[in-house]
Amino acid sequence: MQTLLARLEKGGIGPKAMRKVVQDLAYAAVEAHDRIDAHQQEQISSWKARAGIGRRPARAERATRSKRKPPLHEKVGRDRWFKKPCPRCHAAKDKECINDDKIGGGSLRQTLHDERLQSAPPLLWAEPVGGPEE
Ligand SMILES: [Zn+2]
């Protein structure tokens, strides 16, 4: 591990090679976790930050987001589930769900509970959101 740190500190290696060394260093640090002092730990953390290890690259994050499944509340037409009370928070029909899990601010949820959305008639799920207003 000292060798790896020394190599990083000497500099003169490209970003790709540096990343590799930092990665090795991170693994070595995990193995030697009880023999590392605070100063070494600090060095390792700062090298990891410099090499961008430990945080997900923005590009990968975006890809994950675009691949995600649309949430239920986007799939189920709003007017459908409003006709039923919520099985979870017992919000009455035509009422928004109660914000019991503190998603967003306010006392009412911005989206309804999945339980309520799932209680919508399955046949209607295939309908596009924002269909004709009734
Ligand atoms: Zn609810």
Side-chain angles (χ1 to χ4, degrees):
M1 214 178 62
Q2 280 303 340
T3 331
L4 292 169
L5 268 175
R7 194 162 151 213
L8 285 170
E9 253 135 50
K10 216 171 79 191
I13 48 174
K16 217 171 163 183
M18 180 184 94
R19 220 183 130 85
K20 175 81 178 67
V21 176
V22 175
Q23 223 143 31
D24 288 347
L25 183 67
Y27 288 131
V30 170
E31 265 163 44
H33 65 99
D34 48 353
R35 279 170 284 140
I36 295 175
D37 60 31
H39 174 67
Q40 285 173 320
Q41 190 60 62
E42 217 168 88
Q43 279 179 301
I44 292 162
S45 305
S46 81
W47 277 111
K48 274 165 84 174
R50 226 182 288 188
I53 291 173
R55 64 188 154 86
R56 225 185 327 170
R59 218 184 315 143
E61 221 163 83
R62 261 201 304 278
T64 317
R65 237 197 312 263
S66 63
K67 256 189 284 171
R68 90 201 154 108
K69 287 199 275 180
L72 278 175
H73 64 89
E74 284 176 16
K75 278 164 67 180
V76 184
R78 229 179 144 75
D79 53 329
R80 299 299 176 194
W81 34 254
F82 259 131
K83 296 208 175 11
K84 287 176 141 216
C86 177
R88 172 157 160 181
C89 68
H90 306 293
K93 72 183 177 101
D94 299 327
K95 292 274 193 291
E96 305 269 349
C97 271
I98 291 156
N99 192 5
D100 61 350
D101 41 12
K102 303 286 169 228
I103 293 185
S107 58
L108 296 175
R109 262 176 139 243
Q110 284 183 342
T111 63
L112 298 188
H113 287 122
D114 282 356
E115 290 89 333
R116 190 176 191 181
L117 297 171
Q118 274 154 2
S119 74
L123 253 184
L124 301 169
W125 282 39
E127 284 190 4
V129 180
E133 295 288 335
E134 288 175 19

